[in-house]
Amino acid sequence: MRRPNPLQWLWYAVGGRLPERLRPWVLHDVTARTWVLRHAARGAVVLSPIAAACLLLPGPLGLRLAMVLLVAIVGVYFSLSYVDESCELRAAKHGHEHGIARATRDARNEKAEEAAQARYAAQYRS
């Protein structure tokens, strides 16, 4: 599987579309075990210039640092609130069927989920 180069990844992180040959990597990106962390990294790329701009504004350093913290908290909160939908749209934008990312992650976790339900049933439903 081919990976995007750093410039392509930056374009992808801000919402751009990658070439067709990187389509399998996009599906891997939104379904890997670290898919939430990958989403957070893409969000950090988008929030970094905003936070840097806050540091350049006039005013006391404490206020500017508080603004950076506020950008980080609000940005991460909203980004992670819609992580599943965002990853689905990202996969669909690259030509995958809508819902494939969630289905792929669910299929990977199916056995672990069944084992957890069996343990729960054995302990609490007997």
Side-chain angles (χ1 to χ4, degrees):
M1 172 177 6
R2 297 190 62 179
R3 297 177 48 97
N5 64 41
L7 288 176
Q8 287 174 325
W9 187 86
L10 283 173
W11 175 245
Y12 171 73
V14 297
R17 188 177 170 137
L18 293 175
E20 183 66 26
R21 69 181 187 277
L22 296 172
R23 187 172 175 243
W25 180 85
V26 172
L27 184 61
H28 168 74
D29 186 53
V30 297
T31 60
R33 292 192 189 281
T34 57
W35 68 282
V36 175
L37 295 175
R38 290 169 178 254
H39 178 79
R42 289 190 301 269
V45 167
V46 173
L47 293 174
S48 295
I50 300 168
C54 289
L55 287 176
L56 298 175
L57 293 173
L61 179 62
L63 178 62
R64 291 182 285 160
L65 291 175
M67 289 173 21
V68 169
L69 183 63
L70 184 64
V71 165
I73 291 171
V74 172
V76 168
Y77 175 79
F78 280 106
S79 175
L80 294 179
S81 293
Y82 299 103
V83 64
D84 195 38
E85 294 86 356
S86 176
C87 287
E88 286 297 338
L89 289 174
R90 191 173 293 269
K93 178 192 278 190
H94 287 84
H96 295 284
E97 181 181 330
H98 189 76
I100 190 76
R102 182 179 296 146
T104 303
R105 290 189 303 266
D106 288 347
R108 182 187 64 225
N109 298 328
E110 187 174 350
K111 290 181 183 178
E113 184 66 28
E114 287 175 0
Q117 287 180 357
R119 284 192 310 272
Y120 177 85
Q123 185 170 358
Y124 296 108
R125 302 286 183 206
S126 54

